[in-house]
């Protein structure tokens, strides 16, 4: 990665990354002695550890160096899009993207494991070289994680990090990835780093969880510095098991968000809390639903249209069958905005995947996201329509080819911010 501008007056993400790595390493040494000296006495703890060990055993690793197992893939994808700038006035381009991914597993003890997931790539545009990446990009799924079991407790330390420069990975098709409602943007360089831990206390019939993350978000493209912030994220839940297939309880999420500049976006705190239910019913169908109140309060300089008292809700249905797996999800929530203080989104979507014949699999999705950005000087109401199809063929032991097509359409109450984008992709992947 090319050298990023130095931040002053704030802890640099790279320094914190190595600090967390050192703490994890020390934790592994300490926990190793602890586990061997004091084996698990909790049935709940043993059950959780066995479940994790079982999930690890199903993962495929293709290289081994002593106790460390590795999974490595490399490839190159070619993307064609007819609207590279997400603009009302479309321009096409071809992007070539070599990429490599690494998965590593180090079982420090029979119960405690250190994991690394890292994806690197580079984007090269043929028609608009101004969009070419300044250095390697880091996939948003990259993470360093350490699992520690002590009695009834499972502690998971993690460091999640990403560095991206384009919007290609962003779409309103998932609530778990950032969604930027930007137009006429080709390059948006940004570093997003989370460091924190999750603690689960399993008491058989009752499971309590709590989590903390410290986030640093830094932009490195002129005009987007107003997005730079630090955030503290707290999550918690209490689940009560009602038999073997149903659990219900309460969940909550709180955050404090501190912006370096308070020109476009303002400091705030926000909270969500409410009940949830999770169940496995006939046919292997898994259900989860929840909802509750959703509230935010802003700095006095933000103006009166930024604070809100509203609600959030979500529901998902998933089913794994012999011939295919599919999922239906819908929800409503208010999150941090990128053009205004708040982004309120109401979404619904369907995904399906199936191994049609031997060595050939197909994936498809369709999503609708109706939203509004508000709070401050900017206000926009919009709807995104997102659909895609992907075909994958394993034509040799180590070689795989994927073909994909994606369609994205935006309607807006600001006509010049509406656009349509088509994108086709071919990807050649080699597993070591």
């Amino acid at each position: 990665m090319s050298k990023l501008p130095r931040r002053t007056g704030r802890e640099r993400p790279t320094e914190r990354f190595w600090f967390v790595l050192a703490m994890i390493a020390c934790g592994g040494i300490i926990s190793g002695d602890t586990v061997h000296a004091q084996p698990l006495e909790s049935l709940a703890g043993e059950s959780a550890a066995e479940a994790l060990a079982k999930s690890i055993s199903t993962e495929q690793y293709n290289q081994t160096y002593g106790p460390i197992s590795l999974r490595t893939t490399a490839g190159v994808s070619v993307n064609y899009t007819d609207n590279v700038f997400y603009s009302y006035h479309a321009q096409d381009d071809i992007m070539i993207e070599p990429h490599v991914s690494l998965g590593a597993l180090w079982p420090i003890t029979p119960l405690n494991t250190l994991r690394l997931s890292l994806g690197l790539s580079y984007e090269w545009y043929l028609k608009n070289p101004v969009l070419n990446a300044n250095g390697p990009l880091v996939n948003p799924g990259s993470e360093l994680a350490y699992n520690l079991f002590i009695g009834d407790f499972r502690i998971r330390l993690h460091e999640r990090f990403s560095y991206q420069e384009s919007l290609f990975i962003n779409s309103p098709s998932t609530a778990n990835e950032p969604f930027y409602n930007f137009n006429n943007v080709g390059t948006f360089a940004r570093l997003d780093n989370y460091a924190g831990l999750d603690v689960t206390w399993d008491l058989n019939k009752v499971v309590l969880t709590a989590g903390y993350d410290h986030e640093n978000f830094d932009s490195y493209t002129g005009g987007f510095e107003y997005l730079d912030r630090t955030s503290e994220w707290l999550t918690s839940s209490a689940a009560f098991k009602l038999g073997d297939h149903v659990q219900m309880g309460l969940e909550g999420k709180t955050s404090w968000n501190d912006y370096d500049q308070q020109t476009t976006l303002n400091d705030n705190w926000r909270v969500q809390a409410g009940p949830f239910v999770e169940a496995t019913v006939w046919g292997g169908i898994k259900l989860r639903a929840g909802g509750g109140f959703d509230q935010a309060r802003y700095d006095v300089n933000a103006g009166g249209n930024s604070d809100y008292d509203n609600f959030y809700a979500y529901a998902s249905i998933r089913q794994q069958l012999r011939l295919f797996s599919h999922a239906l999800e819908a929800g409503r929530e208010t999150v941090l905005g990128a053009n205004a203080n708040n982004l309120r989104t109401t979404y619904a979507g369907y995904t399906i995947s199936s191994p049609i014949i031997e060595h050939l699999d197909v994936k498809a999705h369709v999503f609708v996201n109706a939203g509004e950005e508000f709070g401050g000087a900017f206000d926009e109401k919009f709807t995104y329509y997102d659909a895609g199809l992907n075909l994958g063929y394993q034509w040799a032991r180590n070689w795989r080819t994927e073909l994909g097509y994606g369609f994205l359409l935006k309607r807006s109450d600001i006509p010049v911010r509406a656009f349509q984008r088509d994108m086709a992709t071919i990807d050649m992947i080699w597993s070591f």
Side-chain angles (χ1 to χ4, degrees):
M1 184 186 302
S2 59
K3 186 176 180 180
L4 301 177
R6 182 178 179 85
R7 301 281 171 182
T8 58
R10 298 171 59 183
E11 181 186 8
R12 299 188 69 194
T14 51
E15 293 173 353
R16 188 174 62 259
F17 171 81
W18 292 114
F19 173 77
V20 172
L21 178 60
M23 293 296 292
I24 290 176
C26 293
I29 296 173
I30 296 172
S31 65
D33 294 338
T34 303
V35 171
H36 288 302
Q38 297 178 342
L40 281 178
E41 298 177 357
S42 162
L43 294 178
E46 288 181 356
S47 177
E50 289 174 359
L52 178 63
K54 184 178 180 180
S55 68
I56 292 173
S57 66
T58 61
E59 299 179 4
Q60 296 182 355
Y61 293 89
N62 45 33
Q63 299 174 66
T64 302
Y65 295 92
I68 301 176
S69 300
L70 299 176
R71 179 179 63 254
T72 309
T73 63
V76 60
S77 64
V78 179
N79 302 278
Y80 170 79
T81 178
D82 60 3
N83 195 344
V84 69
F85 291 103
Y86 296 76
S87 174
Y88 183 78
H89 302 287
Q91 297 183 44
D92 69 335
D93 207 335
I94 296 175
M95 189 257 284
I96 300 174
E97 182 186 20
H99 55 85
V100 61
S101 65
L102 172 67
L105 174 67
W106 179 16
I108 299 174
T109 74
L111 298 176
N112 305 314
T113 58
L114 180 64
R115 291 168 172 266
L116 172 66
S117 175
L118 179 63
L120 298 175
S121 64
Y122 180 82
E123 296 177 349
W124 180 41
Y125 294 84
L126 298 185
K127 292 188 176 182
N128 296 276
V130 68
L131 301 179
N132 291 345
N134 292 321
L137 309 179
V138 183
N139 189 285
S142 299
E143 181 183 44
L144 180 66
Y146 177 62
N147 290 289
L148 171 66
F149 289 90
I150 303 176
D152 289 327
F153 292 90
R154 174 184 175 181
I155 303 171
R156 186 176 183 273
L157 303 172
H158 60 259
E159 171 87 6
R160 297 194 302 272
F161 43 92
S162 69
Y163 176 74
Q164 294 291 313
E165 293 190 2
S166 79
L167 295 178
F168 266 176
I169 66 162
N170 294 288
S171 74
S173 61
T174 172
N176 296 322
E177 292 181 3
F179 165 52
Y180 301 104
N181 179 36
F182 287 155
N183 293 78
N184 300 306
V185 172
T187 299
F188 172 34
R190 59 203 182 274
L191 176 68
D192 201 4
N193 186 85
Y194 287 82
L197 76 161
D198 303 294
V199 180
T200 299
W201 187 11
D202 191 341
L203 299 171
N204 289 317
K205 292 295 184 180
V206 178
V207 179
L208 305 176
T209 63
Y212 165 74
D213 277 295
H214 175 82
E215 180 189 11
N216 279 85
F217 186 95
D218 296 289
S219 57
Y220 298 96
T221 297
F224 290 105
E225 293 89 350
Y226 70 89
L227 290 166
D228 293 355
R229 62 176 166 84
T230 58
S231 297
E232 316 299 330
W233 299 90
L234 298 175
T235 59
S236 62
S237 70
F240 305 90
K241 296 180 181 179
L242 306 175
D244 296 331
H245 304 292
V246 180
Q247 65 175 355
M248 61 184 304
L250 299 173
E251 60 185 0
K253 179 169 65 176
T254 304
S255 69
W256 291 265
N257 305 283
D258 181 16
Y259 289 89
D260 287 5
Q261 306 174 12
Q262 293 204 62
T263 53
T264 303
L265 308 178
N266 301 93
D267 296 349
N268 65 88
W269 61 262
R270 53 187 62 219
V271 60
Q272 294 180 344
F276 73 92
V277 61
E278 193 172 85
T280 301
V281 296
W282 54 269
I285 297 177
K286 296 183 178 180
L287 310 173
R288 183 178 175 96
F293 75 88
D294 192 356
Q295 182 183 76
R297 292 294 182 267
Y298 278 81
D299 186 274
V300 292
N301 298 321
N305 62 339
S306 294
D307 294 350
Y308 64 83
D309 295 279
N310 212 280
F311 72 93
Y312 78 96
Y314 65 89
S316 65
I317 304 174
R318 304 178 184 277
Q319 185 179 32
Q320 176 75 50
L321 298 174
R322 185 176 64 86
L323 297 179
F324 66 92
S325 61
H326 60 153
L328 178 66
E329 58 181 318
R332 169 193 169 98
E333 66 174 339
T334 307
V335 297
L336 295 174
N339 301 290
N341 278 321
N342 301 304
L343 168 62
R344 180 162 295 151
T345 173
T346 302
Y347 62 90
Y350 177 75
T351 59
I352 185 170
S353 62
S354 173
I356 298 179
I357 59 175
E358 189 176 7
H359 306 305
L360 177 66
D361 57 81
V362 60
K363 299 177 182 178
H365 73 266
V366 57
F367 279 86
V368 178
N369 177 6
E372 177 185 6
E373 279 198 277
F374 65 95
F378 182 87
D379 188 279
E380 181 190 11
K381 296 180 176 64
F382 56 84
T383 302
Y384 280 84
Y385 303 91
D386 180 16
L389 177 67
N390 182 273
L391 298 174
Y393 183 67
Q394 191 80 30
W395 52 275
R397 182 175 182 272
N398 299 98
W399 287 95
R400 177 179 174 83
T401 301
E402 293 188 356
L403 299 175
Y405 168 75
F407 171 79
L408 186 62
L409 173 66
K410 178 186 178 182
R411 301 297 190 192
S412 173
D413 64 349
I414 305 175
V416 294
R417 290 181 60 83
F419 68 84
Q420 177 179 323
R421 188 213 67 184
D422 298 89
M423 185 170 69
T425 304
I426 181 171
D427 197 1
M428 297 289 295
I429 304 170
W430 177 46
S431 300
F432 288 81

